[in-house]
Amino acid sequence: QVQLVESGGGLVQAGGSLRLSCVASGLTFINYDMGWFRQAPGKERGFVAAINRSGSSTDYADSVKGRFTISRDNAKNTVYLQMNSLKPEDTAVYYCAAKQRYGSGGVYRGGYDYWGQGTQVTVSS
C-alpha cells in the first residue's frame, strides 16, 4: 500500500519560514518524481514545486520561485519543501505527490499517481 504522509504545517507570521516533510512508503522511492501542490479554500489545486528522481532537476511555480526550495533524501524516502519569506497568500493545504518515472531527464508538473492527505499552512499578516 502506497502512503505519502505530510508533516510540518502550522501557523506562522508573514515573513517567517516553515519546512514541510513528506515520507513515502510502499514504493521504490528512487523511481518517482515528487511534487508539492497546494489548495486554498474556494480555489483549485495548483502546482508549487517538483523534483526529479535523482534530485538533479527542479521546477517551481512563479509565485514561489526564490522563496521555496524542494529537496529530497532518497535514503530516507522523504521529500521536503523549505518555505521562506512566507506571505498570507501562501495559506493553503499543501499536498505531497508522487509520479513514477522510467527514464531520466527533467521534471514535469502533471501526471502524478499518488497523493498525501495534506497539511495546513496558515500565514498571518
Side-chain angles (χ1 to χ4, degrees):
Q1 183 79 21
V2 174
Q3 291 189 68
L4 304 177
V5 180
E6 303 98 332
S7 62
L11 174 64
V12 297
Q13 294 181 324
S17 297
L18 204 61
R19 189 179 79 158
L20 306 183
S21 299
C22 172
V23 179
S25 61
L27 52 75
T28 303
F29 191 67
I30 190 62
N31 290 338
Y32 289 78
D33 288 352
M34 301 296 296
W36 288 97
F37 297 77
R38 66 187 182 185
Q39 186 170 31
K43 297 183 179 180
E44 65 180 12
R45 186 182 64 200
F47 171 79
V48 176
I51 188 166
N52 71 349
R53 295 166 62 190
S54 67
S56 64
S57 182
T58 59
D59 187 28
Y60 298 92
D62 289 343
S63 59
V64 307
K65 192 174 182 64
R67 300 188 297 120
F68 290 10
T69 302
I70 188 171
S71 61
R72 65 191 294 161
D73 186 340
N74 287 339
K76 296 181 178 180
N77 281 20
T78 302
V79 63
Y80 305 95
L81 185 68
Q82 178 66 47
M83 305 184 293
N84 298 326
S85 302
L86 283 162
K87 305 174 180 179
E89 51 262 45
D90 294 320
T91 295
V93 177
Y94 284 70
Y95 297 92
C96 174
K99 176 172 64 181
Q100 190 167 18
R101 292 285 301 279
Y102 296 96
S104 60
V107 66
Y108 302 92
R109 300 186 177 189
Y112 286 82
D113 303 303
Y114 302 104
W115 297 84
Q117 83 289 345
T119 185
Q120 177 71 48
V121 172
T122 303
V123 184
S124 62
S125 60

